[in-house]
Amino acid sequence: MDKITLNSKIKDVYEHPVGRDVLDKILMVTKKGRGWITNPVVANIKLKTLKKILHKDFNDKFWDQMLWLLNSEDETPQDLDEKVKYPWWKEAVFYQIYPRSFKDSNNDGFGDILGIVEKLDYLKDLGITAIWLSPVYDSPNNDMGYDIRDYHKIMEEMGTMADFDLLLAEVHKRDMRLIMDLVINHTSDEHEWFQNVLKDPDSDYKNYYFIVPGKEEELPNNWQSFFGGPAWRYFPELSAHVMHTFSDKQLDLNWEHEPMREELYGMIRWWLEKGVDGFRLDVINYISKREGLPNGSKDLSKIIQFTGFENFYYGPKLHEYLQEMNREAFKPFNAFSVAETPGIGLEMAKLLAGEERQEFDMVFIFDHLESSGLTRFDHYQYDLNNLKKFYIDYLNHVGSNYWMSLFVENHDNPRMVSKVTKIPALQKKVAKLLNAMILTLRGTPFIFQGQELGARDQHFQSIDDMRDVEVINFYKKLSQKAGPERAWIHSLTGSRDHARVPMIWDEDQPNNGFSDCTPWLCGDGLKLGLGVAQQEGQPYSVLEFTKKIIAFRAQNVALRRGEVDFVQVGKKNYFAYYRTYKDKKVFVEMNLSPRDLYRHLSLKDYHRSISNYHDGFRTKLSFQSDLKLRPYEVVIYEVN
Ligand code: TEU
Ligand code: CA
């Protein structure tokens, strides 16, 4: 791969994997289409000319950082065209459990492991074949388990290691798989490793973290934490700053230090020996920090929001560490891995999860969760055409060696349904449409707990009702700048607590059947018929609809393995595709808008199998009455 310099043309940058992802991000944030770059006039502009044109917005530091980032990758992703292999995880339907809020077995207000065991039959009945468990390790819960104190111990509220062993056995007994959350970019400050540093600042453990000696008022660099404020916490007892890219109780591990890496790999093998089937790796693309920890570009941070990000979100030794971890820990156990990789675009993703790369099986990319240029804390209505564009773009640009994860919700985001519409009657349609989409596209679907019920955002009354460290810090900071009212509007819009409220098992029971005692985080208590007990056996409920599609997918190989062919892609609000495998064919079409939509395909030989509208449902279409799709309608047809 040629080095990118200021003499390179924009089109050279766009040919480069990192360049393409970075430019795509810039186009997204500035709401310009790809056409802008592929336009021959723009494509032939040299970077130094662009630098001149943009000198007001972007200074020298920006260009230095950009060139460094681009030249840190000299490999090109490959899009192969070979026979696709089908390991179990490509045909799985995953379900993400947020254990603290799933089911409380001993009525102390916290969900726990035995609570999960109680509900395994519910998941089995839904058709789930694999579970991803958010962290259950010992933790002071500053970031609800994403701050691990002891990797070998279960958090007290969650139960015991014996409970965990039971869970694993019960999962396997039901022919399901279990993957754990692996948080190894950082540990809690209460982890023994850091405690050892405090006890003996000269011990080797000082190399496990980024500890930079100096005066309190002199920060090592200008990096910002994702949870507000600088990415450095001062420890007077060490006369040093310690790096934390998340909360100040989550200290970043120094992957440069080999003994630290060895300990992590040993810990991973320990869990795999127990029999867990794999891992979801938390912010794993952040582990390699640029040498010297240089300042981030202020200009760049206008685009990516966090100063310093470019120095570690795709760091220089990332691939080296990941290949090593795969070799040392995953490979010997044939363990499955899915990486959470915020900020990564498709080309970088291919270098992280291409089959031949021996790093991860899949990644979670986040480019689709917000409309162009907006963030989770912005109040707006999400346009589903964005999702369509994202999936077409991505699925049309991968080879046989890349497999996509499909998701629209997780524990870090408000409910997608609420982002799309606030109208309760339409929310159920949208919930079904979204579930249908991730269950019928090509890839592995991940359902976040409650998504199968059509769970929506909460009407929290004030910041006191929220528990998440991110939103609490965010609210404090914004209140000072913009006043409490504005701070509250944005906090309510973006809070991760919307997704973290307890599961609704039965709306007729106290605390919705989650616990006999007041939960650690409460929702607004509105009864909207969204509980499991309220939906089970009701054929038109979101739950039964979702179950039906999962069952259909299990029976229909075209939905699991079929190639995807998008049709009429230029038609706004219309999203339609064929899934084809040998002689099996399925057609899926959707109306992405709250208005009727006329469409012009001849569907008369298709057998209509599933739809989120049941009135007037016929398996055969008649030409006169079926020219239009109703608001947020989705229909799945068997074509043969
Ligand atoms: O999230 C990483 C992450 O970057 C975001 O999704 C995060 O929620 C937020 O947007 C930061 O502004 C992972 C975990 O999923 C999350 O729960 C943890 O809080 C975080 O890492 C730190 O471990
Ligand atoms: Ca409990």
Side-chain angles (χ1 to χ4, degrees):
M1 179 121 284
D2 287 340
K3 238 176 142 41
I4 304 281
T5 66
L6 286 174
N7 281 319
S8 307
K9 293 178 176 171
I10 289 204
K11 67 176 180 209
D12 303 328
V13 178
Y14 207 57
E15 281 307 305
H16 188 283
V18 177
R20 176 170 297 227
D21 283 356
V22 171
L23 286 177
D24 275 348
K25 193 129 290 172
I26 293 176
L27 292 176
M28 200 169 98
V29 174
T30 54
K31 299 190 185 173
K32 290 192 173 72
R34 266 201 188 147
W36 190 77
I37 272 187
T38 39
N39 164 330
V41 179
V42 179
N44 284 305
I45 292 181
K46 282 189 178 174
L47 282 187
K48 64 179 178 205
T49 315
L50 193 67
K51 184 178 167 185
K52 266 190 215 137
I53 301 174
L54 298 178
H55 76 279
K56 275 212 198 77
D57 295 317
F58 299 105
N59 67 13
D60 287 354
K61 176 94 196 164
F62 169 85
W63 294 99
D64 288 352
Q65 298 281 74
M66 279 291 267
L67 291 180
W68 169 78
L69 191 60
L70 292 172
N71 291 316
S72 67
E73 181 61 81
D74 50 18
E75 300 217 39
T76 321
Q78 302 177 44
D79 296 332
L80 303 178
D81 185 16
E82 289 169 0
K83 197 168 167 356
V84 180
K85 295 185 206 88
Y86 286 97
W88 67 267
W89 50 268
K90 284 192 186 167
E91 296 188 271
V93 178
F94 272 88
Y95 187 91
Q96 182 193 352
I97 293 182
Y98 194 69
R100 209 175 171 75
S101 291
F102 193 57
K103 173 72 184 142
D104 180 12
S105 74
N106 63 345
N107 297 310
D108 61 356
F110 302 99
D112 46 54
I113 292 175
L114 292 181
I116 301 172
V117 175
E118 260 176 54
K119 296 297 183 184
L120 285 179
D121 287 333
Y122 165 76
L123 297 179
K124 181 76 190 172
D125 183 53
L126 179 57
I128 299 305
T129 64
I131 295 169
W132 151 26
L133 209 57
S134 273
V136 292
Y137 312 92
D138 177 43
S139 160
N141 287 305
N142 173 258
D143 187 23
M144 302 308 162
Y146 284 90
D147 47 325
I148 296 175
R149 183 165 47 201
D150 186 344
Y151 290 104
H152 296 272
K153 211 173 133 196
I154 298 293
M155 186 194 301
E156 216 177 322
E157 295 98 302
M158 294 286 167
T160 63
M161 193 58 83
D163 296 346
F164 180 84
D165 293 339
L166 175 73
L167 171 66
L168 187 59
E170 291 294 320
V171 168
H172 286 161
K173 206 159 95 189
R174 287 167 180 77
D175 243 344
M176 298 195 278
R177 314 263 180 165
L178 184 74
I179 69 164
M180 307 274 288
D181 218 308
L182 199 55
V183 190
I184 49 179
N185 172 66
H186 45 264
T187 70
S188 165
D189 60 344
E190 297 181 31
H191 191 286
E192 195 188 5
W193 297 338
F194 191 69
Q195 291 303 309
N196 286 339
V197 178
L198 292 181
K199 272 186 228 138
D200 175 8
D202 285 329
S203 76
D204 184 51
Y205 290 103
K206 68 176 187 295
N207 301 313
Y208 279 43
Y209 297 89
F210 292 93
I211 302 178
V212 183
K215 292 199 195 119
E216 179 162 13
E217 57 286 2
E218 286 163 17
L219 293 175
N221 64 27
N222 66 356
W223 296 7
Q224 277 169 333
S225 139
F226 297 105
F227 291 165
W232 298 96
R233 168 170 163 200
Y234 195 67
F235 285 80
E237 58 272 56
L238 300 173
S239 301
H241 296 270
V242 182
M243 186 199 296
H244 64 92
T245 51
F246 288 88
S247 93
D248 64 358
K249 280 182 68 66
Q250 294 167 295
L251 308 180
D252 285 61
L253 286 168
N254 175 16
W255 279 66
E256 288 279 328
H257 193 54
E258 200 187 326
M260 192 291 292
R261 300 203 303 275
E262 290 301 328
E263 285 211 54
L264 288 180
Y265 304 153
M267 177 274 290
I268 297 172
R269 288 191 294 262
W270 186 85
W271 282 99
L272 288 169
E273 267 155 27
K274 255 187 181 303
V276 305
D277 298 291
F279 298 97
R280 171 266 189 193
L281 292 102
D282 192 69
V283 292
I284 196 68
N285 56 314
Y286 295 3
I287 57 175
S288 164
K289 273 79 176 171
R290 183 174 176 184
E291 208 179 317
L293 314 178
N295 277 333
S297 148
K298 285 276 175 204
D299 296 330
L300 205 55
S301 69
K302 282 181 217 142
I303 300 170
I304 44 183
Q305 289 162 35
F306 296 98
T307 313
F309 194 64
E310 69 275 23
N311 291 302
F312 61 83
Y313 88 108
Y314 193 72
K317 294 196 179 158
L318 179 61
H319 293 296
E320 182 188 320
Y321 296 149
L322 296 180
Q323 282 163 16
E324 178 185 82
M325 173 162 65
N326 188 312
R327 216 168 41 237
E328 299 282 318
F330 300 158
K331 193 98 185 270
F333 293 85
N334 197 18
F336 163 73
S337 60
V338 55
E340 188 217 22
T341 53
I344 294 293
L346 181 60
E347 301 306 312
M348 291 171 176
K350 289 177 188 172
L351 290 169
L352 291 164
E355 201 177 55
E356 72 291 352
R357 303 273 309 164
Q358 307 275 315
E359 295 183 19
F360 297 117
D361 291 320
M362 281 193 286
V363 296
F364 290 132
I365 300 183
F366 296 91
D367 285 348
H368 59 311
L369 291 193
E370 308 299 336
S371 294
S372 290
L374 295 167
T375 79
R376 167 151 65 85
F377 290 100
D378 292 316
H379 193 76
Y380 70 98
Q381 193 176 346
Y382 183 88
D383 181 353
L384 285 171
N385 285 289
N386 204 48
L387 210 50
K388 162 185 166 183
K389 192 171 155 286
F390 170 80
Y391 282 122
I392 294 177
D393 234 30
Y394 278 62
L395 285 168
N396 275 346
H397 292 101
V398 295
S400 58
N401 51 332
Y402 185 87
W403 193 257
M404 193 157 176
S405 68
L406 306 163
F407 73 99
V408 288
E409 294 191 354
N410 64 23
H411 66 295
D412 289 334
N413 288 278
R415 295 287 181 178
M416 190 51 121
V417 172
S418 296
K419 248 183 244 186
V420 175
T421 177
K422 304 278 181 241
I423 303 167
L426 287 179
Q427 281 182 341
K428 286 190 190 170
K429 299 285 183 216
V430 172
K432 290 176 183 173
L433 178 141
L434 289 168
N435 293 354
M437 194 187 298
I438 65 165
L439 285 161
T440 59
L441 280 169
R442 181 175 165 84
T444 298
F446 286 77
I447 297 173
F448 176 63
Q449 78 182 36
Q451 192 183 332
E452 76 279 22
L453 305 173
R456 37 96 221 178
D457 282 355
Q458 302 296 310
H459 297 272
F460 290 112
Q461 292 303 310
S462 81
I463 193 71
D464 299 332
D465 292 345
M466 294 186 177
R467 297 287 172 269
D468 180 22
V469 57
E470 181 199 48
V471 75
I472 292 169
N473 289 353
F474 174 88
Y475 177 82
K476 262 192 229 152
K477 212 171 145 200
L478 193 59
S479 288
Q480 283 162 8
K481 268 211 326 236
E485 254 164 65
R486 276 190 67 85
W488 175 240
I489 292 173
H490 291 290
S491 302
L492 186 60
T493 302
S495 174
R496 307 192 292 184
D497 282 333
H498 288 295
R500 298 178 177 191
V501 296
M503 257 302 262
I504 303 181
W505 292 105
D506 185 348
E507 289 185 347
D508 296 334
Q509 301 281 320
N511 305 309
N512 290 325
F514 165 72
S515 173
D516 285 354
C517 130
T518 307
W520 68 281
L521 167 71
C522 296
D524 52 31
L526 294 181
K527 313 275 182 216
L528 300 173
L530 293 176
V532 173
Q534 283 62 43
Q535 299 193 40
E536 256 174 352
Q538 301 298 320
Y540 308 131
S541 65
V542 181
L543 177 61
E544 293 298 339
F545 176 86
T546 306
K547 209 182 282 182
K548 206 185 326 177
I549 302 187
I550 296 177
F552 187 66
R553 189 180 190 277
Q555 283 156 16
N556 199 310
V557 66
L559 282 188
R560 301 194 310 279
R561 300 188 174 188
E563 292 298 328
V564 62
D565 296 296
F566 299 101
V567 296
Q568 302 204 352
V569 293
K571 190 169 162 63
K572 191 164 192 257
N573 295 328
Y574 185 63
F575 189 25
Y577 42 90
Y578 288 94
R579 297 290 314 278
T580 316
Y581 187 82
K582 296 181 182 158
D583 60 340
K584 284 270 183 199
K585 205 182 194 87
V586 170
F587 180 62
V588 182
E589 60 169 357
M590 298 173 200
N591 176 359
L592 304 178
S593 81
R595 289 165 297 277
D596 284 345
L597 178 77
Y598 288 85
R599 40 90 152 97
H600 307 283
L601 279 182
S602 169
L603 304 167
K604 74 177 178 349
D605 295 327
Y606 294 9
H607 176 91
R608 193 200 286 231
S609 299
I610 302 177
S611 156
N612 59 348
Y613 278 80
H614 50 272
D615 45 314
F617 184 86
R618 292 176 306 281
T619 54
K620 282 284 174 202
L621 298 174
S622 82
F623 263 125
Q624 302 85 322
S625 58
D626 288 302
L627 278 172
K628 64 180 191 197
L629 286 169
R630 287 161 285 184
Y632 298 119
E633 182 163 3
V634 51
V635 192
I636 302 174
Y637 307 85
E638 271 172 292
V639 179
N640 34 8

